[in-house]
Amino acid sequence: MKLFRHCWKGSALLALGMHTLAQADPSPPFTDWASVRCPPSGSTETLPTPVYGSGQGLFVVCTEDVINVPVMDVYNALLDFRRYSTFSSFVWDIEFPEGFGETPDDVYIGLLMTFHSTGIFPLVNTTSPEMVTVMKDTPDGGYRMVSWQYYDGLEGAFLKTEHPTILIDQGDGTTLCISYETYFSGPGALVLIPFAHNLQAQFAAHAQDLKAYLEG
């Protein structure tokens, strides 16, 4: 199912020229990212994102797990998009721009990818164009972060959503991983509301897959 597919093929520089929100670090309005946690079950609260800020979203899906490996191991695994298909039961394939490399070191702000995922809608897969927005690998502020957003080429007119993952070094060789996606607005978000439980289940499955992959 290609409900969320938008044709972005072409120059990555052109894409960045159309969209100036990508950044290396989260920007104002200020959020204490190290204190962000999943909302309580049943809450209508949503969570801020680096690009779209702290405005109230329609809904959020969120997981919060301790992964028993050092924080930079988790950070690098999040950026190792080439390997997602080897461990994730949710994201079964990712398409990359022509000439893109093989390692996390090749990832850059503004990288455009197409994610292929399963389990959101009954009987069909989904595709979604995503753009990397944050790569923060320094511990200042008490956290590290990787984030990407749905890229519709229309400044979020179809679907405004972003997926940050916040990593907290717990000081004992383990990492607290808060991964979430806030859905703010657009007809695409309205289509997804009835399937929010499926999204939450697939987010949780992916989080457990990542944990098992890293912990061996």
Side-chain angles (χ1 to χ4, degrees), residues 38-47 56 58-60:
C38 293
S41 178
S43 170
T44 59
E45 176 189 356
T46 59
L47 297 175
Q56 177 67 25
L58 295 174
F59 69 96
V60 64

PDB file of all heavy atoms in Angstrom, residues 38-47 56 58-60:
ATOM      1  N   CYS A  38       7.629   8.668  27.858  1.00  0.00           N
ATOM      2  CA  CYS A  38       6.354   8.301  27.258  1.00  0.00           C
ATOM      3  C   CYS A  38       5.199   8.757  28.146  1.00  0.00           C
ATOM      4  O   CYS A  38       5.285   8.642  29.381  1.00  0.00           O
ATOM      5  CB  CYS A  38       6.264   6.788  27.066  1.00  0.00           C
ATOM      6  SG  CYS A  38       7.424   6.114  25.856  1.00  0.00           S
ATOM      7  N   PRO A  39       4.128   9.246  27.575  1.00  0.00           N
ATOM      8  CA  PRO A  39       2.956   9.607  28.376  1.00  0.00           C
ATOM      9  C   PRO A  39       2.357   8.364  29.028  1.00  0.00           C
ATOM     10  O   PRO A  39       2.530   7.246  28.541  1.00  0.00           O
ATOM     11  CB  PRO A  39       1.989  10.196  27.343  1.00  0.00           C
ATOM     12  CG  PRO A  39       2.822  10.538  26.160  1.00  0.00           C
ATOM     13  CD  PRO A  39       3.943   9.554  26.149  1.00  0.00           C
ATOM     14  N   PRO A  40       1.627   8.541  30.132  1.00  0.00           N
ATOM     15  CA  PRO A  40       0.956   7.397  30.769  1.00  0.00           C
ATOM     16  C   PRO A  40      -0.043   6.746  29.818  1.00  0.00           C
ATOM     17  O   PRO A  40      -0.608   7.407  28.945  1.00  0.00           O
ATOM     18  CB  PRO A  40       0.235   8.035  31.964  1.00  0.00           C
ATOM     19  CG  PRO A  40       0.901   9.351  32.174  1.00  0.00           C
ATOM     20  CD  PRO A  40       1.400   9.806  30.843  1.00  0.00           C
ATOM     21  N   SER A  41      -0.256   5.460  29.995  1.00  0.00           N
ATOM     22  CA  SER A  41      -1.228   4.740  29.184  1.00  0.00           C
ATOM     23  C   SER A  41      -2.601   5.390  29.313  1.00  0.00           C
ATOM     24  O   SER A  41      -3.055   5.717  30.418  1.00  0.00           O
ATOM     25  CB  SER A  41      -1.300   3.279  29.631  1.00  0.00           C
ATOM     26  OG  SER A  41      -2.265   2.580  28.886  1.00  0.00           O
ATOM     27  N   GLY A  42      -3.261   5.596  28.185  1.00  0.00           N
ATOM     28  CA  GLY A  42      -4.581   6.208  28.185  1.00  0.00           C
ATOM     29  C   GLY A  42      -4.574   7.718  28.143  1.00  0.00           C
ATOM     30  O   GLY A  42      -5.631   8.339  28.018  1.00  0.00           O
ATOM     31  N   SER A  43      -3.390   8.330  28.250  1.00  0.00           N
ATOM     32  CA  SER A  43      -3.291   9.788  28.226  1.00  0.00           C
ATOM     33  C   SER A  43      -3.484  10.321  26.814  1.00  0.00           C
ATOM     34  O   SER A  43      -3.145   9.651  25.827  1.00  0.00           O
ATOM     35  CB  SER A  43      -1.927  10.223  28.760  1.00  0.00           C
ATOM     36  OG  SER A  43      -1.703  11.599  28.555  1.00  0.00           O
ATOM     37  N   THR A  44      -4.023  11.533  26.684  1.00  0.00           N
ATOM     38  CA  THR A  44      -4.122  12.205  25.389  1.00  0.00           C
ATOM     39  C   THR A  44      -2.934  13.141  25.151  1.00  0.00           C
ATOM     40  O   THR A  44      -2.877  13.824  24.130  1.00  0.00           O
ATOM     41  CB  THR A  44      -5.427  13.014  25.295  1.00  0.00           C
ATOM     42  OG1 THR A  44      -5.452  13.995  26.353  1.00  0.00           O
ATOM     43  CG2 THR A  44      -6.641  12.106  25.403  1.00  0.00           C
ATOM     44  N   GLU A  45      -1.996  13.158  26.103  1.00  0.00           N
ATOM     45  CA  GLU A  45      -0.792  13.981  25.963  1.00  0.00           C
ATOM     46  C   GLU A  45       0.048  13.481  24.792  1.00  0.00           C
ATOM     47  O   GLU A  45       0.145  12.275  24.545  1.00  0.00           O
ATOM     48  CB  GLU A  45       0.029  13.905  27.250  1.00  0.00           C
ATOM     49  CG  GLU A  45       1.362  14.635  27.204  1.00  0.00           C
ATOM     50  CD  GLU A  45       2.223  14.345  28.425  1.00  0.00           C
ATOM     51  OE1 GLU A  45       1.754  13.642  29.339  1.00  0.00           O
ATOM     52  OE2 GLU A  45       3.374  14.817  28.434  1.00  0.00           O
ATOM     53  N   THR A  46       0.645  14.404  24.055  1.00  0.00           N
ATOM     54  CA  THR A  46       1.614  14.042  23.037  1.00  0.00           C
ATOM     55  C   THR A  46       2.969  14.626  23.412  1.00  0.00           C
ATOM     56  O   THR A  46       3.095  15.307  24.433  1.00  0.00           O
ATOM     57  CB  THR A  46       1.171  14.509  21.638  1.00  0.00           C
ATOM     58  OG1 THR A  46       0.995  15.930  21.641  1.00  0.00           O
ATOM     59  CG2 THR A  46      -0.132  13.824  21.237  1.00  0.00           C
ATOM     60  N   LEU A  47       3.985  14.377  22.594  1.00  0.00           N
ATOM     61  CA  LEU A  47       5.351  14.767  22.930  1.00  0.00           C
ATOM     62  C   LEU A  47       5.926  15.712  21.876  1.00  0.00           C
ATOM     63  O   LEU A  47       5.573  15.623  20.692  1.00  0.00           O
ATOM     64  CB  LEU A  47       6.235  13.525  23.047  1.00  0.00           C
ATOM     65  CG  LEU A  47       5.858  12.533  24.151  1.00  0.00           C
ATOM     66  CD1 LEU A  47       6.736  11.290  24.075  1.00  0.00           C
ATOM     67  CD2 LEU A  47       5.966  13.175  25.533  1.00  0.00           C
ATOM     68  N   GLN A  56       0.393  20.674  20.511  1.00  0.00           N
ATOM     69  CA  GLN A  56      -0.382  19.477  20.769  1.00  0.00           C
ATOM     70  C   GLN A  56      -0.599  18.694  19.481  1.00  0.00           C
ATOM     71  O   GLN A  56      -1.105  19.225  18.498  1.00  0.00           O
ATOM     72  CB  GLN A  56      -1.741  19.821  21.387  1.00  0.00           C
ATOM     73  CG  GLN A  56      -2.658  18.631  21.627  1.00  0.00           C
ATOM     74  CD  GLN A  56      -2.129  17.671  22.706  1.00  0.00           C
ATOM     75  OE1 GLN A  56      -1.362  18.089  23.577  1.00  0.00           O
ATOM     76  NE2 GLN A  56      -2.527  16.425  22.635  1.00  0.00           N
ATOM     77  N   LEU A  58      -2.094  15.093  17.385  1.00  0.00           N
ATOM     78  CA  LEU A  58      -3.303  14.281  17.394  1.00  0.00           C
ATOM     79  C   LEU A  58      -3.114  13.034  18.243  1.00  0.00           C
ATOM     80  O   LEU A  58      -3.995  12.654  19.014  1.00  0.00           O
ATOM     81  CB  LEU A  58      -3.674  13.893  15.960  1.00  0.00           C
ATOM     82  CG  LEU A  58      -4.076  15.050  15.041  1.00  0.00           C
ATOM     83  CD1 LEU A  58      -4.267  14.545  13.618  1.00  0.00           C
ATOM     84  CD2 LEU A  58      -5.346  15.715  15.543  1.00  0.00           C
ATOM     85  N   PHE A  59      -1.953  12.384  18.108  1.00  0.00           N
ATOM     86  CA  PHE A  59      -1.642  11.236  18.939  1.00  0.00           C
ATOM     87  C   PHE A  59      -0.147  10.957  18.857  1.00  0.00           C
ATOM     88  O   PHE A  59       0.559  11.506  18.009  1.00  0.00           O
ATOM     89  CB  PHE A  59      -2.467   9.996  18.540  1.00  0.00           C
ATOM     90  CG  PHE A  59      -2.114   9.393  17.198  1.00  0.00           C
ATOM     91  CD1 PHE A  59      -1.240   8.320  17.106  1.00  0.00           C
ATOM     92  CD2 PHE A  59      -2.685   9.883  16.028  1.00  0.00           C
ATOM     93  CE1 PHE A  59      -0.937   7.749  15.884  1.00  0.00           C
ATOM     94  CE2 PHE A  59      -2.387   9.328  14.800  1.00  0.00           C
ATOM     95  CZ  PHE A  59      -1.508   8.257  14.719  1.00  0.00           C
ATOM     96  N   VAL A  60       0.327  10.118  19.753  1.00  0.00           N
ATOM     97  CA  VAL A  60       1.730   9.725  19.787  1.00  0.00           C
ATOM     98  C   VAL A  60       1.813   8.234  20.051  1.00  0.00           C
ATOM     99  O   VAL A  60       0.976   7.673  20.772  1.00  0.00           O
ATOM    100  CB  VAL A  60       2.506  10.526  20.869  1.00  0.00           C
ATOM    101  CG1 VAL A  60       1.993  10.218  22.262  1.00  0.00           C
ATOM    102  CG2 VAL A  60       4.008  10.273  20.779  1.00  0.00           C
TER     103      VAL A  60
END
